[in-house]
Amino acid sequence: MGRRLGFRAAFGALLLACGLSSALANSSPHTIVFGVAPGPYGDMVKQAIAPSLKEKGYKVVVREFSDYVQPNMALSNGSIDANLFQHSLYFDKFTADKGLKLTKLIAVPTAGMGFYSHKIKSLDELKKGDIVTLSNDPTNLARGLRFLASLDLITIKENIDPTKASERDIASNPKGLVFKPLEAAQLPRTLDSATAALVNGNFAIAAGLDLSTAIKQEHLDENLKNIIAVRSEDADKPFAKDIVEVVKSPAYRAVIDSPDHVYGAFQKPDWMTAADKK
């Protein structure tokens, strides 16, 4: 009997301890881990999103990844809760190719790709054999080629989908330029050797490039503006809805528009420009 009572007492103490542990876990603030790539979007989370989320009782952690692959894989496997680093076109292709169940929450102001050079000051100075580096991932490679086409530096074959273009789909290259695809994060470093580089805005800022120094800046279609993504199973959860509410808040907008930050030169998503017209 004594042993039975002792077991019951120990079991009861264990249940009480588990109950207290659960109560403490539920009373602690929910942590939202944001995954980002190098560049301004980690700062955007810290400066424009995290403060309002903290006011709502969340703890916000920013985890930086070195490339465009890991943030989506980490989101899918539950290592992070949300990410902010990619545009919709890249997101749609990557999640389809990998079979990931991720969902876009909302688009944010985005820094466009720029045509940068330390060796020339205008496109007219480009000559045969000049090397132009650009991103080698399929989505941003096609994007870079469309940007080059908009600058009349190349034409793309008419019978292909321009969102899937590669170097093989260049129809004409009147200046005889040499295009060298590389990992996106490495492109700013090539400016000391190549004639020019097409650098995504986040990596340009991470490398200390002033967006205004680009010889040309691309015009961003809506599907090239960056988005916040979560796992599809989390899209309707309170933390996801709170993220959207914060991004649509006056506090977020105040940081974006502040001259103390770099976001003023970013191109705003349609929902923000529509709000400006009201």
Side-chain angles (χ1 to χ4, degrees):
M1 178 68 72
R3 289 183 179 177
R4 187 174 298 172
L5 287 173
F7 174 77
R8 288 178 178 174
F11 185 67
L14 178 61
L15 288 176
L16 178 61
C18 289
L20 286 173
S21 177
S22 177
L24 287 172
N26 290 333
S27 66
S28 62
H30 179 72
T31 299
I32 302 176
V33 182
F34 275 88
V36 299
Y41 300 101
D43 289 335
M44 182 181 287
V45 173
K46 295 173 186 176
Q47 296 165 352
I49 298 175
S52 293
L53 285 176
K54 289 176 182 177
E55 289 178 3
K56 291 178 175 290
Y58 295 97
K59 178 182 178 182
V60 178
V61 175
V62 175
R63 181 179 171 190
E64 185 174 295
F65 296 88
S66 61
D67 60 32
Y68 282 169
V69 174
Q70 296 178 74
N72 278 333
M73 301 309 295
L75 181 58
S76 179
N77 68 31
S79 299
I80 60 176
D81 303 297
N83 66 37
L84 170 51
F85 76 101
Q86 66 195 320
H87 51 68
S88 290
L89 204 60
Y90 180 87
F91 172 90
D92 291 342
K93 177 173 174 51
F94 190 97
T95 54
D97 288 349
K98 301 292 185 182
L100 305 183
K101 295 181 179 179
L102 306 180
T103 295
K104 291 177 275 190
L105 285 184
I106 191 168
V108 301
T110 304
M113 182 181 287
F115 189 102
Y116 295 90
S117 178
H118 289 169
K119 297 184 177 181
I120 61 172
K121 295 185 182 301
S122 75
L123 300 182
D124 293 336
E125 298 177 48
L126 288 168
K127 62 186 184 300
K128 184 177 181 180
D130 281 346
I131 295 174
V132 178
T133 59
L134 66 168
S135 180
N136 64 1
D137 73 83
T139 301
N140 282 302
L141 174 58
R143 173 186 178 185
L145 294 175
R146 294 196 307 277
F147 184 26
L148 291 169
S150 75
L151 300 176
D152 295 325
L153 294 177
I154 64 169
T155 61
I156 298 174
K157 294 175 182 176
E158 295 181 358
N159 61 341
I160 62 102
D161 181 348
T163 66
K164 299 178 180 178
S166 70
E167 308 101 298
R168 298 186 301 272
D169 299 312
I170 296 175
S172 66
N173 176 10
K175 287 184 176 289
L177 303 175
V178 177
F179 301 109
K180 188 175 181 180
L182 298 168
E183 185 180 341
Q186 304 303 318
L187 294 173
R189 300 177 188 175
T190 68
L191 288 171
D192 291 330
S193 54
T195 303
L198 305 187
V199 186
N200 285 26
N202 61 317
F203 287 119
I205 292 172
L209 295 173
D210 186 334
L211 298 183
S212 67
T213 64
I215 294 174
K216 294 290 182 179
Q217 285 276 0
E218 73 173 331
H219 170 74
L220 292 178
D221 294 331
E222 191 67 9
N223 63 3
L224 291 177
K225 291 170 186 172
N226 281 6
I227 51 96
I228 296 174
V230 297
R231 286 181 295 281
S232 297
E233 64 192 63
D234 292 338
D236 291 323
K237 289 184 178 178
F239 86 89
K241 292 180 179 180
D242 284 337
I243 289 172
V244 173
E245 183 178 306
V246 165
V247 172
K248 289 185 174 181
S249 72
Y252 175 85
R253 184 59 180 265
V255 175
I256 296 301
D257 290 341
S258 171
D260 296 331
H261 301 295
V262 299
Y263 315 117
F266 288 20
Q267 296 176 49
K268 294 181 173 66
D270 285 352
W271 68 264
M272 289 187 82
T273 55
D276 290 340
K277 295 176 183 178
K278 292 180 179 179

